[in-house]
Amino acid sequence: MSSSPLSGRVVLLSLGLAAVAWPLAWLLLALAQGLGVLLAGGSFIGVSLPLGQCPWALVNQPSVAFASSRAALWGYWLAPALGAVALATVLPILAPTGRRWGGELLVNHLALACAVLGLGWAPPLGLGDGPARGLERFFELSPLAFMGGCALAGALVAPLSVLRLSGSLWHVSQSLTRARRLAVVAVHGLGPAAAWLGLSFLLGWRTGSVPLMTTGAVLGGAVVAAWLWVPRAGITRRDAPTFGRIAAAWLLGLAVGVSALWAGAPAGRAPRALLWSKPTATNNIRVDWKVIPLRGGLVRPGQQDRGYVP
């Protein structure tokens, strides 16, 4: 029997997979930045993933002047936002998921999380130290223009995942009403976003009101789309997931979620930074970060302080 995104078992599966996809989207922001530096000739040596501050790729930059170069503009400062736009656009349009709900929900959560976190939540967190600050310092780009552009892009691409998921409402007997379309956004979008913001606050991050406003703008785009547009019917009819698959998703979500909370919680008042390769004199590790080497011999006392480059 066909099921919809609002069926009880599908909702349970979705909640478990949200705990996997949203931290993964946060990690992908740092991976995009690290890949950009790799392509420019540097090295990718670690990550910092605080839930309430800007995520960073820890890198050895190709040169001391790298931060002000054209390569850094696209591969370092803009890479997280560009990666978020690309994934939030491509995944709902092109990603095949088969006949099971697990793949469909994972793709939709990942796409929506890239839009919400990558384009709504993260950009204002970099006002003090992050892409917004770097673009202003080195390229004279107004932080307001950067944050506004990201929020606008997020509001435009967030509906893609929501409309794709809502298309499965056609496969059940209930009418595809506006209320049911909005319920899809509330359950699969607003719920995980609210959990992310709430956990950030409970962990001790104080972000101010600007990230809340830009995140709300991105989510608002999804709500407006659900209000105005009736999606096309999804091609694939999917049966309700088994309780075994739901349990497996929750176990995986618990493991990923706990790891994300540990990596995203402040160590005292400082973000944690996970290091897997040796920093050089051109690393971007901040003085106040709690650096945790993932293997021995990576950081000598004070090494990250001497090598600081914006």
Side-chain angles (χ1 to χ4, degrees):
M1 180 178 178
S2 295
S3 56
S4 82
L6 298 178
S7 302
R9 291 191 190 182
V10 177
V11 171
L12 286 174
L13 181 64
S14 178
L15 295 176
L17 291 176
V20 177
W22 285 65
L24 177 58
W26 197 239
L27 172 62
L28 288 175
L29 300 180
L31 293 183
Q33 194 177 42
L35 178 60
V37 174
L38 276 175
L39 294 175
S43 57
F44 186 15
I45 62 174
V47 292
S48 179
L49 302 169
L51 299 191
Q53 288 191 12
C54 186
W56 280 97
L58 277 59
V59 299
N60 292 325
Q61 301 179 37
S63 66
V64 174
F66 173 72
S68 60
S69 68
R70 183 173 295 274
L73 172 64
W74 299 104
Y76 186 66
W77 301 116
L78 291 177
L82 293 176
V85 170
L87 288 173
T89 303
V90 171
L91 287 177
I93 296 175
L94 298 179
T97 56
R99 296 187 56 82
R100 300 190 186 279
W101 272 110
E104 180 70 7
L105 290 169
L106 191 61
V107 163
N108 276 274
H109 274 303
L110 187 57
L112 186 59
C114 284
V116 173
L117 298 181
L119 301 171
W121 180 245
L125 299 179
L127 281 172
D129 181 25
R133 172 62 176 148
L135 289 168
E136 179 186 32
R137 178 180 177 184
F138 294 110
F139 301 97
E140 298 182 353
L141 177 63
S142 165
L144 183 61
F146 174 65
M147 293 185 299
C150 287
L152 177 60
L156 292 175
V157 298
L160 296 175
S161 57
V162 170
L163 292 173
R164 170 171 167 162
L165 191 59
S166 298
S168 297
L169 291 171
W170 286 102
H171 299 153
V172 293
S173 58
Q174 297 95 330
S175 60
L176 198 152
T177 62
R178 178 174 286 162
R180 288 174 62 77
R181 301 197 306 269
L182 291 172
V184 170
V185 180
V187 170
H188 301 281
L190 301 183
W196 184 279
L197 303 186
L199 288 172
S200 298
F201 181 83
L202 290 176
L203 289 175
W205 300 112
R206 298 296 179 261
T207 62
S209 60
V210 177
L212 299 179
M213 291 189 292
T214 52
T215 301
V218 175
L219 290 168
V223 171
V224 169
W227 180 273
L228 294 178
W229 295 315
V230 176
R232 293 181 297 177
I235 297 175
T236 304
R237 293 178 179 269
R238 297 180 175 87
D239 295 333
T242 64
F243 285 112
R245 293 184 182 279
I246 295 172
W250 273 83
L251 288 174
L252 179 60
L254 181 62
V256 173
V258 169
S259 300
L261 289 176
W262 175 80
R269 294 186 177 182
R272 286 188 173 92
L274 308 179
L275 191 70
W276 58 69
S277 189
K278 190 172 182 178
T280 66
T282 59
N283 71 74
N284 69 337
I285 301 173
R286 274 42 181 167
V287 174
D288 59 342
W289 286 354
K290 173 64 175 178
V291 178
I292 301 175
L294 298 183
R295 60 185 179 86
L298 291 180
V299 179
R300 297 189 302 273
Q303 181 179 8
Q304 67 271 26
D305 297 8
R306 294 195 304 272
Y308 169 75
V309 175

